[in-house]
Amino acid sequence: MAQKLGMVIDMKNCIGCSSCAMACKIENNLPDNMWWNRILTDGGSEEGTPSGAYPKAGEASTLAMDIFPVACQHCENPACTRVCPVGATYKDPATGAVRQDYDKCIGCRMCMSACPYTGVRSFNWEEPKFAVEFPVGDPDAPAHQKHTVEKCTLCWHRLAKGLQPACVEVCPSRVRYFGDLNDPNSEVSQLLASREYMQLLPEKGTHPSIYYLV
């Protein structure tokens, strides 16, 4: 049976430190103002703010905020691959990961329009610009190109070396788990069998490979 690589994120213990987002940015040498991995919050009217009110003396706190690390969901039934006219976005048959071929991409952005997960893909309108004059990430990470769509790759260049995605490796709270969802003995499968979980926009029928423990 082919692998179905996926990720399980423990929302109860995520501290929203953004280490995963920063590791992703550096590992993949992402251009300025581009993030493949974002930390979103659900609470107050502004991102990063809780709902409720800070308690006065003797009162119970009503503050509440949920943290959602969000990137490409590497769907089992991806909407993006169905609309790409040149096959630039495709599912890797060996791992189930949704990949992007920059050399094939014609910049039509149909994949961005079809994807129900807003903001997980980015488009290079111009030649990518960087904060420093030399690459800072893994030398095997793909080079960024003008007029192409980009997104999380599950760090496929690291997987080829037997390593985990950078975001999993650096998480200080160890809330990210990565493995084969088709293997019932894998850590990710055992976590899903023992804990309650949710997925983003299940009603869209995309069957994401990213699960959130609640």
Side-chain angles (χ1 to χ4, degrees):
M1 180 185 296
Q3 288 183 314
K4 180 186 175 185
L5 295 182
M7 197 173 296
V8 173
I9 303 174
D10 188 344
M11 290 176 58
K12 284 188 175 181
N13 294 308
C14 177
I15 60 176
C17 67
S18 296
S19 293
C20 53
M22 185 58 69
C24 170
K25 188 172 183 70
I26 293 178
E27 172 72 22
N28 293 285
N29 194 38
L30 298 188
D32 292 347
N33 302 316
M34 181 181 290
W35 299 86
W36 288 354
N37 197 338
R38 297 175 300 142
I39 307 302
L40 306 182
T41 56
D42 183 19
S45 58
E46 301 291 335
E47 187 173 333
T49 63
S51 62
Y54 191 80
K56 297 180 180 179
E59 296 180 347
S61 174
T62 60
L63 294 175
M65 183 173 69
D66 290 323
I67 300 170
F68 287 91
V70 177
C72 174
Q73 299 292 292
H74 293 280
C75 304
E76 185 176 348
N77 181 32
C80 56
T81 61
R82 295 197 297 272
V83 300
C84 180
V86 294
T89 184
Y90 65 99
K91 278 192 69 173
D92 180 5
T95 65
V98 178
R99 301 248 320 251
Q100 193 82 12
D101 188 331
Y102 300 153
D103 292 330
K104 287 184 178 180
C105 181
I106 59 175
C108 68
R109 304 187 301 284
M110 291 183 67
C111 57
M112 299 179 73
S113 179
C115 177
Y117 305 102
T118 304
V120 302
R121 290 171 179 257
S122 303
F123 184 69
N124 287 319
W125 289 96
E126 302 295 340
E127 287 294 341
K129 296 180 174 61
F130 302 90
V132 294
E133 297 179 356
F134 52 87
V136 296
D138 191 304
D140 293 327
H144 306 279
Q145 302 178 32
K146 180 181 178 180
H147 290 169
T148 56
V149 177
E150 298 195 12
K151 66 172 196 66
C152 163
T153 65
L154 285 181
C155 286
W156 65 266
H157 59 284
R158 291 176 59 87
L159 301 184
K161 303 172 188 175
L163 302 173
Q164 293 188 323
C167 62
V168 176
E169 187 172 278
V170 305
C171 179
S173 299
R174 298 294 183 262
V175 301
R176 286 176 174 259
Y177 304 87
F178 179 76
D180 184 4
L181 295 166
N182 280 341
D183 179 2
N185 296 317
S186 68
E187 187 174 28
V188 287
S189 293
Q190 292 180 357
L191 281 168
L192 294 178
S194 62
R195 293 271 302 273
E196 292 187 16
Y197 60 84
M198 61 167 286
Q199 293 174 291
L200 298 183
L201 303 180
E203 68 276 11
K204 298 296 183 179
T206 57
H207 305 297
S209 296
I210 310 298
Y211 293 79
Y212 297 85
L213 301 178
V214 296

